Amino acid sequence: MFYTIDILGTIAFAISGVLVAMEKKMDLFGILIIAFVTAVGGGTLRDLLIGDTPVSWMKDITYTYVIIASAIFAITFKSKINYLRTSLLLFDTIGIGLYTLIGIEKGINANLHPIICIALGTMTASFGGVIRDILCNEIPVIFRRETIYATTCILGGVVYFVLGQLPIDSNIVYIVSGFVIIVTRLLAVKFKFALPNIYNN
Amino acid sequence: MFYTIDILGTIAFAISGVLVAMEKKMDLFGILIIAFVTAVGGGTLRDLLIGDTPVSWMKDITYTYVIIASAIFAITFKSKINYLRTSLLLFDTIGIGLYTLIGIEKGINANLHPIICIALGTMTASFGGVIRDILCNEIPVIFRRETIYATTCILGGVVYFVLGQLPIDSNIVYIVSGFVIIVTRLLAVKFKFALPNIYNN
Amino acid sequence: MFYTIDILGTIAFAISGVLVAMEKKMDLFGILIIAFVTAVGGGTLRDLLIGDTPVSWMKDITYTYVIIASAIFAITFKSKINYLRTSLLLFDTIGIGLYTLIGIEKGINANLHPIICIALGTMTASFGGVIRDILCNEIPVIFRRETIYATTCILGGVVYFVLGQLPIDSNIVYIVSGFVIIVTRLLAVKFKFALPNIYNN
């Protein structure tokens, strides 16, 4: 089941990459690279930082196929992709939830401090988009908009570690903290939650 | 012989870095870094992703000397470098051919899937330029221009694996696929081959 | 003592990150990431290139606490930070001196060529700022301004290796080369030393 979620998340991330790359009028090769980087960039950075190489997507060719297929799909049906908006937001959000937890677990396996594990989880979920924006010559969107995109990952990570202290089955810890990320993200999108504005104007 | 080609490619890549950096009016240190990154950036990313560290250029000081000498040469004779244009294009193209094959072989040695090996080869040949453009605050040129720069690397990689299935001497496989990259690139430059335009305007 | 210097350098680097991020009107999360990247980016790149993973800051949670505290401090007292300008320049400069030497020593331990070691030292001291500027969508400041920021690191590295050839106590070599970096940097800031201008206009 986790694998299915992982693939759905990969699809949503790849399609978001295609849309940004097409706005920048990139050519086919550029679009494909941006789709790739958006989908696997966060996990790649995580693997590099903890030294788990070759990085994940190189060891399972499925990701490559899924990303190429998603990119072709998105390019072909670009004008109709708006109809899929809700599905894509859902895939994206579920993907973020899962990726955060995968990153945290990789950190735990590498014996890292809980705060570093949460940072790894947040990175896994959000740095594909950061690298996408850098390649597209933009200030990364998650650094600019006062949304709580990354904050939901951090929150879910904290829940994961707090529940982990209690005598609760580890699968339940996993599912509950994943749901915290997914639900807070969807609520944040719906009600436009934002981080406190630190500028006067 | 491969080593000589490698050095010629390094020279061509370093000089291309100097020219871009000088257009951006960088200072001496900036120019040197951009020359370096253009020349070794692709191979560095490849080595990081497969976990072959310390990365190649750190283990052979020759690259550093060649890059510094090329940079000094290019800065000193900047106004005359146009005369070398054809030689530089040739060095650059031969370098791209070789780097693609080096990347593919490193992928094979790491037991990776052929598609991932081709991706590594393409990365080795083209990501120095990508990192150069990011440091110069530009959208990477190979993502924008509808040229087939990277496509020739992919094509050569496919030839490499297809021929590898046949009972052919491995040196011949190496040379033929290298030539495919070099010849298609030169033809592409001459006849301005382009990827299909996916935008209506 | 080295640890104290390291922490002071981390504080200065993190605060410089906060100031740049706030100029770009980033949100809280963005500011924190930029503070982080500025403080640990150079060392992280160094560790990745030589394959020393998990990278340093992941193995000692102190850096994370110091960076978060510095960021909160800088955001809260932004308007008053100008009063600390001299202290920050001093911390920053001492940090640069120490980071250069740490990078050189890591290179020596990995059996790398002295020139590569000096490159690693310079990278440790200066690439946090480079990554900060890329994330903020600027051409890195140390590539543009004709200051000798990075040159002082290289100079200190050369002194380190030259003195290392002589029959001198290694602690003295360490302290003298650190001082060379610190003093040349402070003199450079005061008297506006610059690299030779290679452009005619």
Side-chain angles (χ1 to χ4, degrees):
Chain A
M1 196 198 83
F2 286 149
Y3 200 63
T4 314
I5 295 180
D6 194 356
I7 296 302
L8 291 178
T10 304
I11 293 171
F13 278 40
I15 291 178
S16 104
V18 169
L19 299 181
V20 174
M22 290 188 79
E23 249 170 54
K24 292 279 173 176
K25 298 277 173 205
M26 289 192 180
D27 69 6
L28 266 176
F29 180 74
I31 294 171
L32 199 61
I33 297 292
I34 301 296
F36 226 94
V37 159
T38 312
V40 303
T44 300
L45 181 61
R46 174 203 63 214
D47 289 347
L48 289 178
L49 291 175
I50 61 176
D52 181 9
T53 54
V55 299
S56 316
W57 60 270
M58 292 195 157
K59 288 185 280 198
D60 182 351
I61 192 72
T62 314
Y63 296 102
T64 303
Y65 291 148
V66 167
I67 293 167
I68 294 175
S70 306
I72 293 172
F73 175 84
I75 294 168
T76 315
F77 298 104
K78 185 178 183 288
S79 59
K80 271 125 196 163
I81 252 170
N82 242 345
Y83 297 114
L84 297 173
R85 211 176 194 161
T86 315
S87 308
L88 283 177
L89 173 66
L90 207 65
F91 290 1
D92 187 63
T93 303
I94 297 173
I96 287 170
L98 182 68
Y99 295 160
T100 307
L101 297 177
I102 292 175
I104 289 174
E105 294 215 315
K106 283 222 173 190
I108 291 173
N109 290 336
N111 289 316
L112 299 171
H113 188 284
I115 292 182
I116 302 295
C117 294
I118 294 175
L120 277 176
T122 307
M123 208 181 276
T124 308
S126 62
F127 267 64
V130 170
I131 307 175
R132 173 197 67 207
D133 292 343
I134 294 172
L135 287 175
C136 292
N137 202 18
E138 298 280 352
I139 294 184
V141 65
I142 66 160
F143 296 172
R144 276 181 293 146
R145 274 197 220 142
E146 285 161 11
T147 57
I148 62 166
Y149 188 105
T151 313
T152 62
C153 301
I154 298 172
L155 188 67
V158 171
V159 169
Y160 181 94
F161 278 104
V162 170
L163 291 186
Q165 302 298 316
L166 307 175
I168 298 176
D169 182 73
S170 70
N171 278 316
I172 295 180
V173 172
Y174 213 85
I175 290 167
V176 170
S177 45
F179 262 90
V180 166
I181 299 172
I182 293 168
V183 171
T184 51
R185 171 116 201 274
L186 292 178
L187 288 174
V189 170
K190 187 161 173 65
F191 297 108
K192 305 197 175 167
F193 289 165
L195 288 177
N197 182 345
I198 54 170
Y199 303 99
N200 295 324
N201 55 334
Chain B
M1 197 197 81
F2 285 148
Y3 199 64
T4 314
I5 295 179
D6 194 357
I7 296 302
L8 291 179
T10 303
I11 293 171
F13 278 39
I15 291 178
S16 104
V18 169
L19 299 181
V20 175
M22 290 187 79
E23 250 169 53
K24 292 281 172 174
K25 298 277 175 207
M26 289 190 180
D27 68 6
L28 267 176
F29 180 74
I31 293 171
L32 199 62
I33 296 293
I34 301 294
F36 226 95
V37 158
T38 312
V40 302
T44 300
L45 180 61
R46 175 203 63 214
D47 289 347
L48 290 178
L49 291 175
I50 61 177
D52 181 10
T53 53
V55 299
S56 315
W57 62 269
M58 292 195 158
K59 288 185 280 198
D60 182 352
I61 193 74
T62 314
Y63 296 102
T64 303
Y65 291 149
V66 167
I67 293 167
I68 293 176
S70 305
I72 293 173
F73 174 84
I75 293 169
T76 316
F77 299 104
K78 186 179 181 290
S79 60
K80 271 125 196 163
I81 250 168
N82 242 345
Y83 297 114
L84 297 173
R85 210 178 196 160
T86 316
S87 308
L88 283 177
L89 173 66
L90 207 65
F91 289 1
D92 187 61
T93 303
I94 296 173
I96 287 171
L98 182 69
Y99 294 160
T100 307
L101 297 176
I102 292 175
I104 289 175
E105 294 215 314
K106 283 221 172 191
I108 292 173
N109 290 337
N111 290 315
L112 299 171
H113 188 284
I115 293 181
I116 302 295
C117 295
I118 294 175
L120 277 176
T122 307
M123 208 181 275
T124 310
S126 61
F127 268 65
V130 170
I131 306 175
R132 173 198 66 206
D133 293 344
I134 295 171
L135 287 175
C136 291
N137 202 18
E138 299 279 350
I139 293 184
V141 66
I142 67 159
F143 296 172
R144 277 181 294 149
R145 275 196 220 144
E146 285 160 10
T147 57
I148 63 165
Y149 188 105
T151 314
T152 62
C153 302
I154 298 172
L155 188 66
V158 171
V159 169
Y160 181 93
F161 278 103
V162 169
L163 291 185
Q165 302 299 315
L166 306 175
I168 299 176
D169 182 73
S170 71
N171 278 316
I172 295 179
V173 172
Y174 212 85
I175 290 166
V176 170
S177 44
F179 262 90
V180 166
I181 299 172
I182 294 168
V183 171
T184 51
R185 170 116 202 274
L186 293 177
L187 288 174
V189 170
K190 187 162 173 62
F191 297 108
K192 304 197 175 165
F193 288 165
L195 287 177
N197 183 343
I198 54 170
Y199 302 99
N200 295 321
N201 55 335
Chain C
M1 195 197 85
F2 286 148
Y3 199 65
T4 315
I5 295 180
D6 194 356
I7 296 301
L8 291 179
T10 303
I11 293 172
F13 278 39
I15 291 178
S16 103
V18 169
L19 299 181
V20 175
M22 290 188 79
E23 251 170 53
K24 292 279 171 175
K25 297 277 174 207
M26 289 192 180
D27 68 6
L28 265 177
F29 180 75
I31 293 171
L32 199 61
I33 297 292
I34 301 295
F36 226 95
V37 158
T38 311
V40 302
T44 300
L45 181 61
R46 175 203 63 214
D47 288 347
L48 289 178
L49 291 175
I50 61 176
D52 181 10
T53 53
V55 300
S56 316
W57 61 270
M58 291 194 160
K59 288 185 281 199
D60 181 351
I61 192 71
T62 314
Y63 296 103
T64 303
Y65 291 147
V66 167
I67 293 166
I68 293 175
S70 306
I72 293 172
F73 175 84
I75 294 168
T76 315
F77 298 105
K78 186 179 181 287
S79 60
K80 270 125 195 162
I81 250 169
N82 241 346
Y83 297 114
L84 297 173
R85 210 176 194 161
T86 316
S87 308
L88 283 177
L89 174 66
L90 207 66
F91 290 0
D92 187 61
T93 303
I94 297 173
I96 287 171
L98 180 70
Y99 294 160
T100 306
L101 297 176
I102 292 175
I104 289 175
E105 294 216 313
K106 282 222 173 191
I108 292 172
N109 290 338
N111 289 316
L112 299 171
H113 188 284
I115 292 181
I116 302 295
C117 294
I118 294 174
L120 277 176
T122 307
M123 208 180 276
T124 308
S126 61
F127 267 64
V130 170
I131 306 175
R132 173 198 66 206
D133 292 343
I134 294 172
L135 287 175
C136 292
N137 202 17
E138 297 280 350
I139 294 184
V141 66
I142 66 161
F143 296 172
R144 278 180 293 147
R145 272 198 222 144
E146 286 160 9
T147 57
I148 62 166
Y149 187 107
T151 314
T152 61
C153 301
I154 298 172
L155 188 67
V158 171
V159 169
Y160 181 94
F161 278 103
V162 169
L163 292 186
Q165 302 299 315
L166 306 175
I168 299 175
D169 182 73
S170 71
N171 277 317
I172 295 179
V173 172
Y174 212 86
I175 290 166
V176 170
S177 44
F179 261 91
V180 166
I181 300 172
I182 294 168
V183 171
T184 51
R185 171 118 202 273
L186 292 178
L187 289 174
V189 170
K190 187 161 174 65
F191 297 108
K192 305 197 176 170
F193 289 164
L195 287 177
N197 182 345
I198 54 169
Y199 303 98
N200 295 323
N201 55 333

